[in-house]
Amino acid sequence: MAYKYASHVKEEHGSAIFGVKFNELLEDEGTFATVGSNRATVYKCTDGTIKPLQAYCDSNTDECFYTCTWSINKESRNSLLVLAGLLGILRVIDATTVTCWKSYCGHGNAVNELKTHPLIPQLILSASKDHSLRLWNIQTDVCVAIFGGVDGHRDEVLGADFHILGGSIVSCGMDHSLKLWKLDTSEIKDAIEASERPPIKKNFPTLRCHFPSFSTREVHCNYVDSVCYYGNTILSKSCENLVAWWKPAVYVFTSLAEPGSGAASPTTSTSCDGVILLRKLDMPQCEIWFMKMCLNERLGLLALGNQIGKVTMWDMTADDVAKSKIQVLGHSKCNSAIRHVAISNNGRHIVCVCDNATVWLWDHKMSCDHNSAK
């Protein structure tokens, strides 16, 4: 798949934009949101342009949003945009009424990542500077579970992701560690089910999970700031100019059969200290932390930006992924650090956001040619 530059805009707040996310719950796959400073903006990709639809500005000027994700109101079916950042407060914005629907406090420090459960979009996962992760049911206003404590992270949790079938969570942090947390145990399943009908006259009994099912510090030697599942394997990124593709040496998944949904099976691998390293993907000029990668698991596309304004893409389905760079996306005016990249579900659009408050759009060449022919 080849892409070409389509458009870019600069947000008026002039601050770094840390997060971007397409709304994968809509049939219209061109709607995305960005977060930076104390505001969030919703855009639509239309005929090679970036059209702003709405913006939300938090009343607290000290807020700085780092991350966002999409959900849906189970009753009204309205799209919900969930935001969080420096103050550790989750804001749930109703994108239909353009109002702040709900807010949640609980974390003791900043929230670095938000993710939506792949099967139950009302469940939102938050990863925090307070060394913990929390699972929220935003439909019923319940904190279902807290992951951390005795054997949890020892520093900021910088990233997290759900398994494609929702059976586990992977997390990463400043302590150089990566941890897997099970969601398919009877205790967690019961807690999730109970969160759908919480007690009215007493507090919900939030489950506390102190022990991950797997933990390692052998993959990276620095902060691990981005992580995602690829089938039953894991992609993780640190401040080391590379992305590691690996899996636990001991099988810890129950949701899928090996090697994993959509994941290619490399012909060679290296095993050490409980980890099987499948590949290392070199990524030059990527030495600063809080630069997030994006994986479109359905298409097998991985994208990551660097600190000089370039986005590198890999085809994860290739026989030799390390040599499978599809394209390096760039523009003469895009020269600021790229904090986050998003790929639309159908692969037609790629958006990245930068430290200089700019938003960049690349469209798939076939889509561009089709629009030009109209």
Side-chain angles (χ1 to χ4, degrees):
M1 299 183 75
Y3 294 83
K4 70 177 183 179
Y5 164 79
S7 182
H8 74 277
V9 297
K10 184 168 184 175
E11 298 189 354
E12 62 181 13
H13 56 77
S15 301
I17 304 175
F18 289 106
V20 59
K21 181 69 175 177
F22 277 97
N23 188 349
E24 298 173 352
L25 302 174
L26 289 179
E27 291 185 7
D28 174 12
E29 298 188 5
T31 302
F32 68 92
T34 65
V35 287
S37 185
N38 66 331
R39 68 179 62 188
T41 309
V42 178
Y43 297 94
K44 182 178 175 63
C45 304
T46 306
D47 296 330
T49 64
I50 304 172
K51 179 183 177 181
L53 299 181
Q54 59 185 252
Y56 167 80
C57 186
D58 197 85
S59 58
N60 191 333
T61 56
D62 292 331
E63 180 63 280
C64 180
F65 292 122
Y66 297 152
T67 179
C68 64
T69 193
W70 291 92
S71 183
I72 191 167
N73 187 321
K74 197 174 181 178
E75 297 174 353
S76 68
R77 309 309 295 174
N78 289 354
S79 291
L80 303 174
L81 179 62
V82 188
L83 319 170
L86 179 64
L87 300 183
I89 302 170
L90 276 68
R91 303 285 192 195
V92 184
I93 310 302
D94 188 316
T96 302
T97 62
V98 200
T99 56
C100 183
W101 185 46
K102 294 178 178 180
S103 297
Y104 299 104
C105 298
H107 282 295
N109 217 314
V111 172
N112 293 315
E113 183 101 280
L114 293 172
K115 285 295 177 73
T116 303
H117 192 284
L119 302 181
I120 311 171
Q122 291 75 37
L123 294 179
I124 302 296
L125 180 67
S126 56
S128 174
K129 187 177 180 178
D130 68 5
H131 307 182
S132 76
L133 302 101
R134 288 179 179 242
L135 185 65
W136 308 82
N137 188 324
I138 62 172
Q139 193 70 42
T140 56
D141 308 327
V142 161
C143 180
V144 181
I146 300 174
F147 303 89
V150 176
D151 218 9
H153 286 279
R154 293 292 178 260
D155 209 329
E156 291 192 42
V157 187
L158 297 177
D161 193 27
F162 285 102
H163 189 279
I164 190 172
L165 295 182
S168 63
I169 294 166
V170 60
S171 62
C172 64
M174 277 190 173
D175 57 0
H176 308 183
S177 73
L178 292 127
K179 298 178 184 290
L180 304 183
W181 309 82
K182 283 186 173 293
L183 293 183
D184 54 6
T185 65
S186 58
E187 293 83 4
I188 294 287
K189 286 181 177 180
D190 289 346
I192 292 174
E193 183 178 349
S195 74
E196 296 293 331
R197 38 179 174 72
I200 298 175
K201 295 185 178 181
K202 60 180 181 179
N203 293 332
F204 183 84
T206 298
L207 189 64
R208 297 185 179 272
C209 305
H210 292 275
F211 303 99
S213 58
F214 177 85
S215 181
T216 182
R217 297 180 76 249
E218 301 302 325
V219 180
H220 298 283
C221 300
N222 209 324
Y223 297 168
V224 188
D225 59 353
S226 188
V227 66
C228 58
Y229 277 110
Y230 183 41
N232 281 346
T233 62
I234 295 166
L235 293 159
S236 56
K237 174 206 158 279
S238 182
C239 315
E240 304 163 323
N241 292 321
L242 65 85
V243 175
W245 185 16
W246 61 278
K247 63 181 180 179
V250 178
Y251 188 67
V252 294
F253 302 100
T254 58
S255 299
L256 291 173
E258 289 275 28
S261 174
S265 300
T267 55
T268 61
S269 61
T270 303
S271 178
C272 63
D273 297 311
V275 170
I276 299 174
L277 183 62
L278 304 176
R279 284 288 187 273
K280 287 185 177 181
L281 310 180
D282 293 328
M283 181 61 183
Q285 300 292 324
C286 196
E287 299 169 337
I288 60 177
W289 68 284
F290 213 94
M291 302 181 77
K292 304 281 187 174
M293 60 186 171
C294 177
L295 173 70
N296 183 316
E297 188 165 0
R298 185 170 66 88
L299 299 177
L301 293 177
L302 176 68
L304 174 63
N306 66 12
Q307 60 209 55
I308 59 171
K310 306 295 182 185
V311 176
T312 300
M313 300 186 63
W314 291 269
D315 178 6
M316 297 300 297
T317 65
D319 291 336
D320 190 350
V321 176
K323 298 179 181 178
S324 71
K325 288 183 182 178
I326 300 175
Q327 194 175 357
V328 177
L329 308 178
H331 189 278
S332 59
K333 294 183 179 179
C334 185
N335 49 30
S336 184
I338 295 174
R339 291 296 179 176
H340 202 183
V341 182
I343 307 172
S344 64
N345 200 38
N346 57 14
R348 291 180 182 175
H349 312 290
I350 294 178
V351 174
C352 71
V353 293
C354 302
D355 269 357
N356 62 356
T358 54
V359 182
W360 297 80
L361 170 66
W362 281 269
D363 282 343
H364 186 250
K365 281 189 176 180
M366 288 183 64
S367 301
C368 295
D369 295 341
H370 176 70
N371 291 331
S372 300
K374 287 183 178 180

